[in-house]
Amino acid sequence: LDSQNEPDIIAINAASTALALSDIPWNGPVGAVRISLTDNNELITNPTRKEIAEAVLNLIITANDVGNVIMLEAFANEPVVESHIIKAIAKGIKECKIIVNSIKQLQANHGKTKRKLDYD
């Protein structure tokens, strides 16, 4: 944690990784990223606090390895063109897939066997 970056995205990815490595059964992992849109229509992945404050759009997205969106939050300081929102979501999904694949690789190499749930 530092004074330049928000901790929420790191916290989501850390929790997803911890669950993936544990023996707790769940339907993950998921990956999370923040995408910001600048006034020059540039997309920034995981922007700093300063970049977030200056952005036209801030989007937080959580997705799984097949691109299903689990969570989507967006904040805009002014109206945003629909095509820019779609590009931001697509970029976020792509970045989330990279994170999920990294977590899955870590899980394959170091994860515990998942517990079987007994429904009596």
Side-chain angles (χ1 to χ4, degrees):
L1 181 63
D2 60 22
S3 62
Q4 295 181 15
N5 299 284
E6 293 288 340
D8 52 355
I9 301 303
I10 295 170
I12 294 168
N13 289 321
S16 178
T17 303
L19 285 168
L21 294 174
S22 77
D23 65 344
I24 299 170
W26 77 300
N27 293 330
V30 298
V33 294
R34 181 188 308 270
I35 304 290
S36 287
L37 177 69
T38 68
D39 54 1
N40 297 335
N41 297 325
E42 177 188 356
L43 294 173
I44 301 171
T45 303
N46 293 328
T48 64
R49 287 181 176 169
K50 181 180 179 189
E51 290 169 329
I52 292 169
E54 296 171 352
V56 175
L57 170 72
N58 285 296
L59 179 104
I60 300 170
I61 188 165
T62 302
N64 64 12
D65 60 340
V66 294
N68 295 331
V69 175
I70 309 302
M71 178 190 76
L72 178 70
E73 295 180 13
F75 309 92
N77 296 325
E78 58 190 61
V80 178
V81 178
E82 181 181 352
S83 63
H84 295 304
I85 296 172
I86 291 169
K87 286 180 184 176
I89 292 170
K91 181 173 178 129
I93 291 170
K94 180 182 173 187
E95 299 291 340
C96 286
K97 286 180 176 183
I98 293 168
I99 293 167
V100 170
N101 287 330
S102 295
I103 294 170
K104 283 187 162 190
Q105 184 176 7
L106 187 65
Q107 180 182 25
N109 293 331
H110 303 286
K112 293 182 177 180
T113 303
K114 297 297 183 190
R115 281 184 257 163
K116 298 291 182 203
L117 295 178
D118 187 18
Y119 298 103
D120 284 333

